[in-house]
C-alpha cells in the first residue's frame, strides 16, 4: 500500500514509525513531515490543511490510504474531499469532526444521550455568557465554542476572572472560534485520556494515558500542548476504563451513526475521574500529542492493518493488543514556549540518546538547516522510553534526555511523578 500521512509533529513521527513497521506498506509519503518523519517517509511540501493540495498529491502519488494526524484538516473536510476523489482516508468527516470542532455540539449530544459530563449553558452573546457565569458561580469554566489552539478555555476560580474570560471569547481575538461560548460547571478530579479506534459502528479501546499540560515542574505555569505523557494511566483501572467505554465512548459513536455522521478514526476522550466515576471533559478527533508517542510504542498489532480495517468498517470483534510495560515521554521545548521563542538553535546528541536501551526520540518542531538539525517550533522533541513500570520508564527517559545537547531548550524534570509514586508504592 502507498500511504500518505498528513502532519508534521511528534504525533505524526510516532504514527510514521508504527506505520513503517507494517508488512502491508510499500511506500510512505508525508506532507509536510519533519526530519524525524523523513527517517520513515518521503516528504512532500504540502501543508496538512491545504485540502486541495492534499487531494492533488494523493491522486498524483496514487495513494491507497491517507492518514490524517492533526485536527485542522479534519475539521476543514479533508476526508470528505478525498472521499469525493475516490481516495480512502483514516479520520472523521467534517461533520463527525464537530466532536472536537464545536464544544456546544458535543455538549448537546451528551445531554441528549445522558453521557456524563459537566452541566453547561450554550451562550450566543456576551450578555448570556455573563448571566451563565453568575448562575453557576465560581469556580466555573468558560470555553470558546470552536478550535482555538488551546487558547479557548479558562478555568476561572473567581467570578471576576470568569467575566473577563467571557469578554475575551466575544472580544474578537479568537475569530470564528469565539462566535459562541460554552459555560460549564467546574469538575473536580484527576484527568486522564482514553483512546478509541472507530470504524463508524464499532469503537475499540486503543490505550490510555495521562499528560502534563502545564509548562513547569509541579504542574505549575502556563498551559501548553503537553510537556510529557505516560501510558498506561494508573488512575484508570480496568473497571473505570470499561465504564468510560460503556457510558461515554460507545454511546457517542452510536449517536454519531444514528445521526448520519458516523465517526471513523481515533476518538480521544479527555476524562475527569471524580468520586462518581469518569465524566467527559472534551473530545478530540485525532490522537493526542504527546500521547501518541507513549501509546503507539506499546502497540503489538499492525497499526496500518487496523487503520484499513477501521476505514472499511471491519473492526467488530477485534481487540488491539498492547504490551503491559509503561511508556513515558518527556517533551523538550524551546525556552519561552508556550510564549515567544527563538528558532534556529542547533540540537546535538539525539543519536547518543537513542542508543540508550528502550528509547526513541520523536521529532516535533525540528528542521535541517545547512546540514544541521535545528529547532523550528515550540515543542521540539519528545523522548520516549519504556520500562517495567513508571519509575523505570522515567529513569530511562531522563537518562536519554541528559544526552541531548541543546542549551536553548528546556524540559520538565518530573514527568510521570504521579505514576512513579504509584509504582513505588507497589
Ligand atoms: P478542553 O480544551 O475542553 O480540554 O479544556 C482544557 C482543560 O481545561 C482540560 O484539560 C481541563 O484541565 C480543564 N477543564 C475543561 N473543562 C473543565 C471542567 N468542566 N471542569 C474542570 N476542568 C475543566
Ligand atoms: N496532549 C493533548 C492533546 O493532544 O490535545
Amino acid at each position: 500500500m502507498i500511504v500518505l500521512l498528513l502532519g508534521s509533529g511528534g504525533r505524526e513521527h510516532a504514527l510514521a514509525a508504527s506505520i513503517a513497521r507494517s508488512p502491508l506498506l510499500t511506500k510512505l509519503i508525508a506532507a509536510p513531515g519533519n526530519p524525524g518523519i523523513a527517517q520513515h517517509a518521503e516528504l512532500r511540501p504540502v501543508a496538512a490543511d491545504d485540502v486541495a493540495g492534499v487531494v492533488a498529491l494523493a491522486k498524483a502519488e496514487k495513494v491507497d490510504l491517507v492518514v490524517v494526524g492533526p485536527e485542522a484538516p479534519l475539521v476543514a473536510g479533508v476526508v470528505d474531499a478525498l472521499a469525493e476523489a475516490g481516495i480512502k482516508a483514516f479520520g472523521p468527516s467534517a461533520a463527525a469532526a464537530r466532536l472536537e470542532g464545536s464544544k456546544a455540539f458535543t455538549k448537546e449530544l451528551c445531554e441528549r444521550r445522558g453521557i456524563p459530563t459537566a452541566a453547561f449553558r450554550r451562550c450566543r452573546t456576551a450578555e448570556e455568557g455573563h448571566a451563565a457565569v453568575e448562575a453557576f458561580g465560581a469556580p466555573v469554566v468558560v470555553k470558546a465554542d470552536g478550535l482555538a489552539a488551546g487558547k479557548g478555555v479558562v478555568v476561572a476560580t473567581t467570578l471576576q476572572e470568569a467575566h473577563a474570560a467571557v469578554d475575551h471569547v466575544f472580544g474578537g481575538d479568537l475569530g470564528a472560534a469565539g462566535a459562541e461560548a460554552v459555560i460549564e460547571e467546574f469538575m473536580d478530579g484527576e484527568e486522564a485520556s482514553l483512546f478509541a479506534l472507530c470504524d463508524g459502528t464499532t469503537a475499540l479501546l486503543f490505550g490510555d494515558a495521562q499528560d502534563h499540560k502545564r509548562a513547569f515542574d509541579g504542574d505549575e505555569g502556563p498551559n501548553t500542548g503537553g510537556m510529557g505523557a505516560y501510558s498506561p494511566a494508573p488512575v484508570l483501572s480496568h473497571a473505570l476504563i470499561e465504564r468510560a467505554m460503556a457510558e461515554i465512548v460507545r454511546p457517542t459513536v452510536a449517536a454519531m451513526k444514528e445521526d448520519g455522521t458516523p465517526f471513523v478514526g481515533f476518538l480521544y476522550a479527555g476524562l475527569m475521574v471524580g468520586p462518581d466515576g469518569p465524566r467527559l471533559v472534551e473530545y478530540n478527533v485525532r490522537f493526542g500529542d504527546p500521547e501518541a508517542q507513549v501509546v503507539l510504542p506499546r502497540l503489538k498489532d499492525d497499526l496500518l492493518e487496523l487503520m484499513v480495517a477501521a476505514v472499511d468498517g471491519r473492526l467488530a470483534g477485534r481487540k488491539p493488543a498492547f504490551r503491559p510495560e509503561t511508556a513515558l515521554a518527556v517533551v523538550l521545548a524551546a525556552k519561552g514556549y508556550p510564549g515567544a521563542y527563538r528558532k534556529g538553535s542547533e540540537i546535538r546528541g539525539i543519536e547518543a540518546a537513542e542508543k540508550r536501551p528502550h528509547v526513541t526520540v520523536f521529532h516535533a518542531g525540528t528542521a535541517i538547516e545547512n546540514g544541521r538539525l535545528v529547532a523550528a517550533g515550540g515543542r521540539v522533541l519528545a523522548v520516549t522510553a519504556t520500562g517495567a513500570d513508571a519509575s523505570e520508564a522515567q529513569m530511562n527517559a531522563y537518562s536519554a534526555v541528559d544526552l541531548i545537547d541543546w542549551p536553548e531548550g528546556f524540559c520538565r524534570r518530573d514527568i510521570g511523578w504521579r505514576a512513579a509514586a504509584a509504582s513505588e508504592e507497589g
Side-chain angles (χ1 to χ4, degrees):
M1 287 180 72
I2 302 175
V3 176
L4 169 60
L5 171 65
L6 301 182
S8 60
R11 165 183 51 215
E12 287 75 27
H13 187 178
L15 287 166
S18 290
I19 291 169
R21 280 196 286 275
S22 172
L24 298 177
L25 185 74
T26 49
K27 179 170 164 185
L28 182 59
I29 302 167
N34 69 32
I37 294 169
Q39 295 161 20
H40 305 288
E42 292 178 21
L43 306 191
R44 299 286 185 268
V46 174
D49 56 2
D50 170 4
V51 171
V54 166
V55 173
L57 175 63
K59 277 189 188 162
E61 301 276 0
K62 300 195 169 30
V63 164
D64 298 299
L65 180 74
V66 178
V67 174
V68 189
E71 65 276 14
L74 295 167
V75 173
V78 76
V79 171
D80 311 74
L82 287 164
E84 267 174 44
I87 299 163
K88 283 186 188 182
F90 178 82
S93 65
R98 280 181 298 172
L99 282 173
E100 176 165 359
S102 168
K103 295 191 189 288
F105 172 84
T106 298
K107 296 301 284 191
E108 287 180 351
L109 184 149
C110 289
E111 189 169 53
R112 280 200 311 277
R113 298 285 170 150
I115 292 170
T117 185
F120 76 104
R121 269 206 213 169
R122 183 174 181 175
C123 303
R124 291 176 179 81
T125 62
E127 213 169 17
E128 286 177 22
H130 291 302
V133 160
E134 289 296 328
F136 278 110
V140 63
V141 183
V142 178
K143 300 184 177 183
D145 178 62
L147 289 185
K151 294 185 181 73
V153 176
V154 172
V155 179
T157 48
T158 66
L159 284 178
Q160 197 187 356
E161 236 183 297
H163 287 302
V166 169
D167 287 331
H168 178 65
V169 170
F170 290 102
D173 282 1
L174 299 175
E180 283 190 30
V182 170
I183 313 294
E184 283 184 23
E185 163 205 3
F186 172 80
M187 294 188 286
D188 214 355
E190 188 173 336
E191 277 186 79
S193 305
L194 201 65
F195 302 92
L197 177 67
C198 306
D199 69 359
T201 306
T202 299
L204 303 178
L205 176 63
F206 199 81
D208 59 292
Q210 278 182 295
D211 74 339
H212 294 269
K213 289 208 172 65
R214 302 297 198 97
F216 307 133
D217 284 13
D219 294 318
E220 308 261 1
N223 258 311
T224 71
M227 293 300 293
Y230 45 93
S231 171
V235 66
L236 290 177
S237 62
H238 287 300
L240 279 172
I241 288 176
E242 197 28 61
R243 263 186 80 179
M245 289 299 291
E247 295 174 11
I248 299 173
V249 174
R250 287 199 287 264
T252 300
V253 171
M256 294 301 284
K257 185 179 180 192
E258 282 172 37
D259 295 345
T261 53
F263 187 92
V264 176
F266 287 123
L267 185 60
Y268 162 165
L271 305 175
M272 191 68 81
V273 182
D276 303 324
R279 293 205 282 171
L280 182 71
V281 178
E282 63 154 358
Y283 277 126
N284 296 307
V285 297
R286 35 93 188 156
F287 225 98
D289 186 340
E291 289 86 344
Q293 294 93 306
V294 291
V295 172
L296 293 175
R298 296 182 49 226
L299 179 66
K300 283 190 195 165
D301 296 329
D302 179 342
L303 177 64
L304 180 55
E305 189 273 324
L306 282 167
M307 286 174 156
V308 172
V311 172
D312 292 344
R314 290 188 282 103
L315 287 181
R318 301 285 304 265
K319 189 177 179 198
F322 291 86
R323 281 181 278 275
E325 64 201 16
T326 293
L328 182 143
V330 178
V331 168
L332 276 69
K335 282 180 183 162
Y337 174 81
Y341 53 82
R342 301 237 303 263
K343 294 185 183 177
S345 53
E346 186 169 1
I347 304 160
R348 297 189 191 85
I350 289 182
E351 279 167 30
E354 286 206 301
K355 285 205 182 99
R356 303 286 310 174
H358 319 295
V359 169
T360 310
V361 178
F362 294 110
H363 291 234
T366 65
I368 305 278
E369 263 176 25
N370 305 320
R372 302 174 317 156
L373 185 74
V374 300
R379 291 190 293 173
V380 171
L381 299 172
V383 178
T384 294
T386 55
D389 60 17
S391 300
E392 198 181 298
Q394 190 186 48
M395 219 167 52
N396 291 342
Y398 281 107
S399 77
V401 165
D402 290 338
L403 295 172
I404 293 178
D405 176 13
W406 180 38
E408 291 79 7
F410 78 100
C411 68
R412 284 182 52 163
R413 300 297 314 186
D414 65 344
I415 298 301
W417 62 269
R418 211 192 289 266
S423 61
E424 271 151 29
E425 273 166 27

